[in-house]
Amino acid sequence: MSTLSRRQVLAAAGVAGAAAVVGGALAGCDSEESGGNLDDKRAGAMEKYAVGDQFKATEPITLPIMLLSNAAYPYKKEWLFFSELTKRTNVTLEPTVIPGSDYNQKRSVMISAGDAPAIIPKTYHPDEEQYIAGGAILPVSDYLDYMPHFKDKIAKWNLNGDLDQWRQADGKFYLLPGVHEDVWIDYSLAVRTDIMTKLGIATPQTWDDVAAMLRTMRAAYPDNYPFSDRWSTPPNPGANNLLSITSQNYGTWAGWAWLPAQWDPATSKFAYTGATEQYKQVLTYLNGLVKEKLLDPESFTQTDDNARQKFASGKSFVISCNAQTLVNEARKDIEKLAGATVIKIPQPMGPLGAVKQGTRLENGIMISAKARDSKNFVAMLQFIDWLWYSDEGQMFAKWGVQGTTYTGGYATNDFKLNPEITWAGINAGAPKSLQVEYGFANGVFAYGGSTQHLESQFSPEEKEFQKVMTARRTLPQPPPHPLNADEREQASLWETGLKDHVNQQTLKFILGQRPLTDWDAYVAELKGKNMEQYVNLVNGAYERYKKEHG
């Protein structure tokens, strides 16, 4: 679970050139029909490799990889993860290490210069689209015959509809996603439960309940904003998690969840998200919180540190969180407040009721186009398939080495971290971190998997949260509507102007700097910025894809 949003800010656009492969250490791909003949690209590859097999290269190979270094657990070449991975697979990873804060930008620069490693993980859709036209990355869907574990999970969990969202106009996808058995909801609100108990407030079930809770808190503490939020990373309007989880429960997309085109099943067409009635309802709700002084207006501009300081000092009682930040930050922040306690509440429900929106796809892996030239190409594909998509590889990346970092397993469902090791609140106070000292549970390698796998490291508290969220009905994905290269170039020009205006006016509407009675004028302004042309382009792409691919 990352403290960063799964839908990251797009990197710089317009990249040409292909990524270089370092050290000639890659292998393999798909059938001759789709991926071409790879008979000379099989050095190190296993002759027989199927679901359930442990991948081990037939000769030592080195694979170049771009590696995001998380500030919470900075890269160490001495991590047990790397040495044990080599022991199991005969593969040595050769990382190009990049700080997380610079990752998207430096990835773009390296790919543009032709200097990117062969394996480019931690990429969020649709970031990959900017590299397609220049031929910098491979259409990974051409090579799935060499990835039996990936194919098995797609079939077993019926993920083809989710994958369709990532397909391009040619029917192919260029990013290998992390895959989940079910939609995984992590982000919500952290609420001071001692204050709730003191004031007799029940856990809120809906966004209306949240407003009522905040009113009660405000009445008892009139000098406080009860809700002061974090995650206001530009260029989005701010309070990106709050906008995200609110919007999805109203049937639209905002903040981190922003999607410019919103499917309307009533008309079987796409509409521009920022002009929909649902989007207006979200802004109306949040504007009401600000107007009543229930939500700190600085939530949309302040740094995370400022938001956390307010929570830590008792000036606010509600802040956005996920499972990790609840334990690692929120609870630690309030330790000096006598009797203070905090929980992550299930996402409040909106007008759509007990539903959840989202994809079962995670961030994923791009593969450099130059990687296909390596004699080890097929071995590389087999390695990626084992580490990121096999049950055994996922268990290794997440838990580490049985007997060294954990005991138990799936058979008895009794995973336990060794007592001297801590992770996300498990064995709190233990001297060693599973991530910092050992390199496991690293967001570059450990994501996706079955619900059982996902929950294997959850605390009882988090399992209760997930139980509530899992029971909710998952809304269907919109139909695919990929743009071709020329359309994408045009759409990106329109999208930039439109999104900038949506961001600016979203903030003004919420903060009361522009009255919501101006909504029609705002929509007219979007039309003046080519909103209708953009929507027509998207709907044309939808009709074309439906005709050509069904």
Side-chain angles (χ1 to χ4, degrees), residues 112-187:
S112 180
D115 295 331
I119 304 172
I120 311 170
K122 208 63 178 176
T123 299
Y124 289 80
H125 177 74
D127 285 13
E128 80 280 9
E129 292 180 353
Q130 62 193 292
Y131 309 117
I132 294 172
I137 58 174
L138 290 175
V140 289
S141 55
D142 281 354
Y143 302 97
L144 302 186
D145 285 349
Y146 297 98
M147 306 188 72
H149 292 100
F150 179 86
K151 290 180 68 174
D152 177 65
K153 284 180 167 54
I154 298 302
K156 184 165 55 179
W157 296 339
N158 193 24
L159 285 162
N160 282 310
D162 297 72
L163 273 177
D164 283 345
Q165 304 302 309
W166 290 24
R167 293 185 186 275
Q168 303 301 312
D170 58 7
K172 301 179 180 184
F173 55 91
Y174 290 73
L175 180 64
L176 274 173
V179 294
H180 290 272
E181 183 178 4
D182 196 2
V183 172
W184 171 39
I185 304 296
D186 184 14
Y187 289 76

Side-chain angles (χ1 to χ4, degrees), residues 185 248-251 347-357 469 472-475:
I185 304 296
Q248 292 181 65
N249 283 278
Y250 275 78
Q347 277 191 11
M349 292 178 285
L352 298 183
V355 301
K356 57 187 175 185
Q357 291 208 64
M469 299 308 302
R472 297 184 183 179
R473 178 174 63 91
T474 302
L475 295 176

Side-chain angles (χ1 to χ4, degrees), residues 429-451:
K432 296 180 180 179
S433 163
L434 184 65
Q435 294 171 313
V436 175
E437 274 81 21
Y438 296 94
F440 297 107
N442 185 317
V444 174
F445 304 103
Y447 55 85
S450 68
T451 298

